[in-house]
Amino acid sequence: MIRKAFVMSVDAGCEKKYIERHNPIPEELEKTLKSHGVHNYSIYLDRETNSLFGYVEIESIDKWNKIAETESCRKWWQYMRDIMPANSDSSPVACDLEEVFHLD
């Protein structure tokens, strides 16, 4: 299993919407994530900075990257675009983090 961590952000004043839209995520998106080898996926919100910390375990980088090509992912990005910084393709602005310590 590959561990990934990344940071994103939510627009100020949109924290409640962000939380509501994730509880639950659409069933179609959940199925897409699971069918592409996603496990143990969590997102945490720092309410002081509106930073989001994501942690996910994936089976392969290739499968993870293919999620972006799915219709359910593209719909989700479009849906979330109005409450968080987004790239030109509607994907959220995100920065991968480098793992520097892990304890099993």
Side-chain angles (χ1 to χ4, degrees):
M1 208 56 72
I2 299 165
R3 293 182 304 276
K4 285 188 64 62
F6 50 92
V7 290
M8 304 176 291
S9 64
V10 61
D11 294 339
C14 295
E15 303 86 356
K16 184 177 177 188
K17 283 183 187 178
Y18 185 89
I19 293 166
E20 288 171 352
R21 291 181 186 188
H22 280 80
N23 289 290
I25 62 170
E27 186 176 337
E28 173 187 1
L29 181 59
E30 181 179 343
K31 287 179 181 178
T32 296
L33 293 171
K34 289 182 176 182
S35 70
H36 284 78
V38 173
H39 304 272
N40 200 25
Y41 192 175
S42 299
I43 299 173
Y44 299 86
L45 169 64
D46 178 342
R47 289 184 181 272
E48 289 186 23
T49 65
N50 291 334
S51 295
L52 299 164
F53 167 76
Y55 173 82
V56 63
E57 295 174 357
I58 58 174
E59 294 173 4
S60 82
I61 295 294
D62 186 52
K63 282 177 153 180
W64 173 257
N65 290 337
K66 287 188 186 298
I67 294 169
E69 301 170 13
T70 66
E71 184 180 339
S72 60
C73 181
R74 297 282 178 160
K75 277 197 232 175
W76 179 253
W77 287 350
Q78 197 64 37
Y79 179 53
M80 298 302 289
R81 184 180 180 94
D82 68 323
I83 63 169
M84 60 190 307
N87 296 303
S88 61
D89 66 354
S90 295
S91 65
V93 172
C95 176
D96 286 339
L97 300 175
E98 177 183 353
E99 182 177 272
V100 296
F101 174 79
H102 175 76
L103 176 67
D104 240 344

